[in-house]
Amino acid sequence: TMSDAREQFAACEALLNDGAVEACAAAAEALTQQYPKHARAWCLRAALATQAEEALKHAERAKALKPDLDCVRTALARALVRRAVEEGKAHSEARISLLERALAEQDDPKTWYRLGRARREAKDLVGAADAFERCGDDARAKFWAACCRGDPSEDAPVEHLEALYDGYAGRYDAHLSDALRSQAPELVAESVRGTKARKALDCGCGTGLSGRALFDAEACSKLDGVDLSEAMCEKARATGLYEDVSKGELCPYRGVLH
């Protein structure tokens, strides 16, 4: 009976609330076998599925049963996003289609942001800007929307830059030196060769690539560094070239060239 189904579903939820995920998944599977038209049970199975494809199959089953139920639309939207993430950059059109379907079920700023990224990677800059502009007050989204429209008025959010360079720190030196063959550290040092300043500040010091060049050029006796990325700061500190390396923006920093 429906009363029995409700009791069993409540028992499934209780297991989930207690952290018994495997037991809950097994109970939800048994419930859908006994009551195959129980849409909420299919939603629960979708949420607990370990594979994105399986989650989507369960969510679509729930959608076929109760298409307008809020929890069903939420379950399907989440399953579609999971599947889109699994598709990755290599399948941009499929990822875009899945995200658009998810947004048709549930308007969500995070999904709009994912769609903006996917469209940008597919070179659909107009579509990307439109998606980013639907993300509300997300500063990153405003920045990317402006970039896609060719508008230079939006600065990149500090948090975005921090995350970008934190992830870049481990391969930064090799990328600049080997892949890009950058001569920036040497050129900077050459521009102040022989200055012999008592103390200098390496602005945006990164991993400290400029530090050795500055000392070799006799540009300064002592050196401090400042950078937005903590991971970059750690690399710079590890060189042993800097008296102090601070994480932060340059504008508030008061250590100046003497």
Side-chain angles (χ1 to χ4, degrees), residues 64-186:
L65 293 167
K66 296 283 186 179
D68 297 324
L69 203 61
D70 284 346
C71 65
V72 168
R73 300 188 71 173
T74 297
L76 181 55
R78 289 176 177 173
L80 287 163
V81 170
R82 280 184 67 184
R83 190 73 182 86
V85 171
E86 191 177 77
E87 286 288 344
K89 292 183 179 181
H91 304 91
S92 59
E93 291 304 320
R95 184 160 55 121
I96 288 168
S97 177
L98 289 162
L99 292 169
E100 288 174 343
R101 284 181 60 196
L103 286 162
E105 297 297 333
Q106 186 177 61
D107 193 305
D108 178 63
K110 291 181 179 179
T111 307
W112 279 115
Y113 187 82
R114 289 183 185 276
L115 180 60
R117 290 183 58 183
R119 286 175 174 173
R120 181 173 61 85
E121 289 158 8
K123 311 301 182 186
D124 176 12
L125 298 185
V126 173
D130 179 68
F132 285 129
E133 286 169 354
R134 294 171 183 259
C135 294
D137 292 330
D138 188 316
R140 297 173 308 159
K142 289 181 179 180
F143 167 69
W144 283 118
C147 288
C148 290
R149 296 205 186 281
D151 177 4
S153 64
E154 288 283 345
D155 291 333
V158 171
E159 296 79 6
H160 170 73
L161 294 174
E162 286 182 29
L164 178 67
Y165 282 99
D166 279 349
Y168 191 21
R171 56 191 176 88
Y172 183 82
D173 288 6
H175 191 220
L176 259 67
S177 300
D178 301 335
L180 300 180
R181 300 188 181 280
S182 172
Q183 296 180 314
E186 291 77 14

Side-chain angles (χ1 to χ4, degrees), residues 51 53 56 67 131 136 142 147 158 161 177 196 222 257:
Q51 301 294 323
E53 188 172 352
L56 183 54
K142 289 181 179 180
C147 288
V158 171
L161 294 174
S177 300
K196 297 182 180 179
K222 296 179 180 179
L257 185 66

